[in-house]
Amino acid sequence: MGEAWEVCIRALEQAGTPPGHAATQTNLLLEAELRGRASHGLLRLPRIIERIHNGVADPKTRGNAVWRSPSFLDMDGERGLGPVIALAALDQVRERARETGIAVAAVSNNNHIGMLALYAEQVAREGQILLALSTSEALVHPWGGRRALIGTNPIAIGVPAEGEPFVLDMATSQVAMGKIHDYANHGRALEPGWALDGAGNPTTDAVAAKAGALAPFGQAKGYALGLAFELLVTSLTSSALGTAVKGTLDSSAVCNKGDVFIVIEAGSGAVASRIADYLDDIRACPALLPQRPVAVPGDRARAERRQRLDTGIELADEVWHRILDLAQCAA
Amino acid sequence: MGEAWEVCIRALEQAGTPPGHAATQTNLLLEAELRGRASHGLLRLPRIIERIHNGVADPKTRGNAVWRSPSFLDMDGERGLGPVIALAALDQVRERARETGIAVAAVSNNNHIGMLALYAEQVAREGQILLALSTSEALVHPWGGRRALIGTNPIAIGVPAEGEPFVLDMATSQVAMGKIHDYANHGRALEPGWALDGAGNPTTDAVAAKAGALAPFGQAKGYALGLAFELLVTSLTSSALGTAVKGTLDSSAVCNKGDVFIVIEAGSGAVASRIADYLDDIRACPALLPQRPVAVPGDRARAERRQRLDTGIELADEVWHRILDLAQCAA
């Protein structure tokens, strides 16, 4: 962990990133690795650095934030590093929400902000609710449709609870495109209902699905929610919509998706205690399969984090060597 | 329609409801009928009136609203009629959001607020985004669990778009308990995955499912969202949680669920126009089944409303006679 930290920081600094910004970006990637979310982990670092070299990510800026109205922050990310801009916006809306009860940041012109869970966890730990939405390239088909027209539009919700906060972080696709690629690499068949092929027909062939579309989670209702999130973000940030969204999966396009953070002052300690008790009731619910106890969102990520803090993280050799190269170290 | 309107108003007035409040409540029920949402329509009126007679609904109050902070409204519903209190809170937060950019109402001690779509549509028509959440009796099992511990917790999202606004309104259960009752009444088998029986085992027997639990929509992800909504509402309104929630399905318990309305100033006309174009692109997406074109949330409800404005609404005789009795008219 310590070695990975230093190498990532060095790689980002080699690309012109100030030390504080390099630490923010590296922390987010490593926290994803610790939680077992490799798709949002160090494998993203080479693309981030390529984007800096290609002029579509500016590692130095903290963005340009303007209060559109007393509780509404417009943040022009100025092509900055995703988490650097996101945290700069969050800091301001969190402080404002302490006074006004609720505040929102509409973030445009920002790069990929990574795993949303970390933002939700930090905010909820300090007694505020976070509702975080982000749009993304169109990979998801509308329910009953054959083409990818909607982003995987993740949502995170953090709610304070006594002890550990409640943290939900999920994409609105049935599975991640990273999982399709992983299945393709290992020659595994997809489960029915996960994806369509390039012609818009249902497929279990992972290679065919790479050129197709992901199913929305939750059929018609999940489609409706993912679409609603895309519209909400666009209405607030003026971001691109659908197939016009670029820049989170490539190294050369300006990133034109949007991010929205809504921060709300949460209830008192008594409510946080009742919420913790209720979550324990849910964990204690008799399970359909005895070997699979009922889980509360965030439980598994916390367990994985605890374990990896002991055992360390495992990285694919290819990813690690790429990052070492970027840091200009000998392998 | 005109006759139904007058009879409902008279039934509510007979129970001591002031004319303005009777009109608000009746309008919501009839708008649900017009949209083909009979479960939120006139069949609910007898219970509302029973609740007034039983002292757990006060038809006269408009609630007691206090600004906890500049953009955070605490509304004590004082056991008022659901839509009367909801609209009183919404009026205040909508006006505040015009100044501050975003505002939230946390509504407690209020009766069932009915079909959320109507609130979302009204707000979105006037250039604001509405995010509406409401909790309810625990009818839904956690994913992988055997007991009903979570509400059907509906969400509505309204986003302004040129022409007709985007309106999503959905419960977070796979199907409504009303649908289970309907299947039981008609001796129809449920689809696998909809419900558990009273012992917590999967069932397709609708009668057995009435004593059991509904599945969350969207498996693990839908469960996570429904749970997150329950926590968010409780954190803001101090409402009851899980199996402690009462008063939306019975006639005698004080209603202790919560409602949350978040209103945000939406983007400019240019964004509303881009959103409308995007929704048209989605409607034009090639369909998996040619006979089932891709739909945008709200489209079907609008079409049903247009049709019923011509043809009128159809009510079960039993419901209509019950309401006539309550209005003390001859059948």
Side-chain angles (χ1 to χ4, degrees):
Chain A
M1 278 292 295
E3 191 189 357
W5 175 270
E6 288 186 14
V7 170
C8 290
I9 297 278
R10 208 178 315 151
L12 282 161
E13 290 185 2
Q14 292 282 354
T17 311
H21 292 187
T24 297
Q25 179 70 67
T26 298
N27 182 53
L28 189 82
L29 299 176
L30 282 175
E31 285 289 341
E33 293 286 350
L34 283 172
R35 287 165 171 79
R37 299 276 302 277
S39 62
H40 287 62
L42 296 189
L43 92 84
R44 293 202 175 239
L45 188 63
R47 186 178 303 135
I48 291 168
I49 290 175
E50 282 166 24
R51 291 182 61 80
I52 295 173
H53 288 314
N54 290 336
V56 288
D58 172 357
K60 296 192 169 67
T61 182
R62 294 194 80 226
N64 179 30
V66 176
W67 288 98
R68 188 192 295 191
S69 42
S71 297
F72 193 126
L73 186 74
D74 271 319
M75 168 62 99
D76 174 355
E78 296 181 330
R79 303 188 185 183
L81 294 180
V84 170
I85 301 301
L87 288 172
L90 256 182
D91 283 351
Q92 291 204 49
V93 287
R94 290 179 61 187
E95 195 183 327
R96 186 58 54 95
R98 296 259 180 236
E99 300 160 25
T100 60
I102 186 169
V104 60
V107 183
S108 58
N109 202 14
N110 187 27
N111 279 291
H112 192 261
I113 66 173
M115 178 183 65
L116 299 181
L118 192 63
Y119 307 103
E121 185 179 283
Q122 287 176 349
V123 171
R125 263 195 211 297
E126 296 178 34
Q128 294 178 313
I129 290 171
L130 178 66
L131 200 68
L133 299 169
S134 195
T135 53
S136 64
E137 265 86 342
L139 295 175
V140 175
H141 63 77
W143 185 241
R146 291 177 179 270
R147 298 277 175 273
L149 292 177
I150 305 168
T152 54
N153 305 345
I155 179 171
I157 299 178
V159 180
E162 199 171 272
E164 295 293 342
F166 173 88
V167 177
L168 162 72
D169 175 6
M170 53 173 262
T172 50
S173 53
Q174 174 74 31
V175 298
M177 189 50 98
K179 191 162 187 168
I180 304 287
H181 283 259
D182 200 43
Y183 273 54
N185 292 341
H186 293 85
R188 288 182 68 184
L190 306 179
E191 289 187 24
W194 282 6
L196 305 178
D197 64 20
N201 293 311
T203 186
T204 57
D205 177 344
V207 175
K210 286 163 66 175
L214 302 173
F217 93 102
Q219 304 178 322
K221 289 188 175 190
Y223 147 62
L225 272 174
L227 176 58
F229 298 158
E230 181 135 356
L231 302 182
L232 193 157
V233 169
T234 294
S235 183
L236 298 183
T237 67
S238 293
S239 53
L241 278 165
T243 54
V245 178
K246 307 281 176 207
T248 71
L249 300 173
D250 62 75
S251 298
S252 56
V254 172
C255 189
N256 56 3
K257 53 81 187 164
D259 314 306
V260 165
F261 300 113
I262 298 172
V263 176
I264 319 174
E265 285 297 293
S268 66
V271 172
S273 164
R274 275 203 295 130
I275 288 175
D277 290 346
Y278 174 57
L279 293 177
D280 282 342
D281 290 346
I282 286 180
R283 291 182 183 102
C285 180
L288 214 52
L289 305 173
Q291 70 276 24
R292 296 196 65 177
V294 172
V296 163
D299 281 359
R300 194 176 65 186
R302 252 191 302 272
E304 298 222 11
R305 185 174 192 278
R306 267 192 301 272
Q307 189 195 324
R308 285 194 177 80
L309 281 176
D310 280 344
T311 62
I313 57 176
E314 273 183 46
L315 286 178
D317 281 350
E318 190 190 318
V319 172
W320 181 237
H321 286 122
R322 188 100 191 267
I323 297 173
L324 283 173
D325 281 348
L326 290 166
Q328 301 181 339
C329 311
Chain B
M1 276 293 295
E3 189 189 359
W5 173 270
E6 289 186 13
V7 170
C8 290
I9 298 276
R10 207 176 317 150
L12 282 161
E13 289 185 1
Q14 291 282 357
T17 310
H21 293 187
T24 298
Q25 180 69 67
T26 297
N27 182 54
L28 190 82
L29 299 176
L30 282 176
E31 284 290 340
E33 293 287 349
L34 283 172
R35 286 164 171 80
R37 298 277 301 278
S39 62
H40 287 62
L42 296 190
L43 94 86
R44 291 196 177 245
L45 187 64
R47 188 179 301 134
I48 292 169
I49 290 175
E50 282 166 23
R51 292 181 63 79
I52 295 174
H53 289 314
N54 291 335
V56 290
D58 172 358
K60 297 193 168 67
T61 183
R62 293 194 81 226
N64 180 29
V66 175
W67 288 97
R68 188 192 294 191
S69 42
S71 298
F72 193 126
L73 185 75
D74 272 320
M75 169 63 99
D76 174 355
E78 296 180 330
R79 305 188 183 181
L81 294 179
V84 171
I85 302 299
L87 287 172
L90 255 181
D91 283 352
Q92 291 205 48
V93 288
R94 290 178 62 187
E95 193 182 327
R96 187 57 56 92
R98 297 257 181 238
E99 301 160 25
T100 60
I102 185 169
V104 60
V107 182
S108 57
N109 202 15
N110 187 26
N111 279 292
H112 191 263
I113 65 174
M115 179 185 64
L116 299 182
L118 191 64
Y119 307 102
E121 187 179 282
Q122 287 177 350
V123 171
R125 266 197 209 294
E126 296 180 34
Q128 294 179 311
I129 290 171
L130 178 68
L131 200 69
L133 299 169
S134 195
T135 53
S136 65
E137 265 87 342
L139 295 175
V140 176
H141 63 77
W143 185 241
R146 290 177 181 270
R147 299 275 175 274
L149 292 177
I150 304 168
T152 54
N153 304 345
I155 179 171
I157 299 177
V159 181
E162 199 173 273
E164 294 292 342
F166 173 87
V167 176
L168 162 72
D169 175 7
M170 56 173 261
T172 50
S173 52
Q174 174 74 32
V175 297
M177 187 51 96
K179 192 162 187 168
I180 305 286
H181 283 260
D182 200 43
Y183 273 53
N185 292 342
H186 293 85
R188 288 182 66 185
L190 306 179
E191 288 187 24
W194 281 7
L196 305 178
D197 63 21
N201 293 311
T203 187
T204 56
D205 177 344
V207 176
K210 285 164 66 176
L214 302 173
F217 93 101
Q219 304 179 321
K221 288 187 176 190
Y223 147 62
L225 272 174
L227 176 59
F229 297 158
E230 180 134 358
L231 302 182
L232 192 157
V233 169
T234 293
S235 184
L236 298 183
T237 67
S238 293
S239 55
L241 278 165
T243 54
V245 178
K246 307 283 176 207
T248 70
L249 300 173
D250 62 74
S251 298
S252 57
V254 171
C255 189
N256 58 3
K257 53 78 188 164
D259 314 307
V260 165
F261 300 113
I262 298 171
V263 176
I264 319 174
E265 285 298 294
S268 65
V271 171
S273 163
R274 275 204 294 128
I275 287 176
D277 290 345
Y278 174 57
L279 293 177
D280 282 341
D281 289 346
I282 286 181
R283 292 182 184 102
C285 179
L288 213 51
L289 304 173
Q291 69 276 28
R292 297 197 63 178
V294 172
V296 163
D299 281 358
R300 194 176 61 184
R302 251 190 304 270
E304 300 222 9
R305 186 175 190 279
R306 266 193 302 271
Q307 190 194 322
R308 285 194 177 78
L309 280 177
D310 281 344
T311 61
I313 56 175
E314 273 183 46
L315 285 179
D317 281 348
E318 190 190 317
V319 171
W320 180 236
H321 287 122
R322 189 97 193 269
I323 297 174
L324 283 174
D325 281 346
L326 290 167
Q328 299 179 341
C329 311

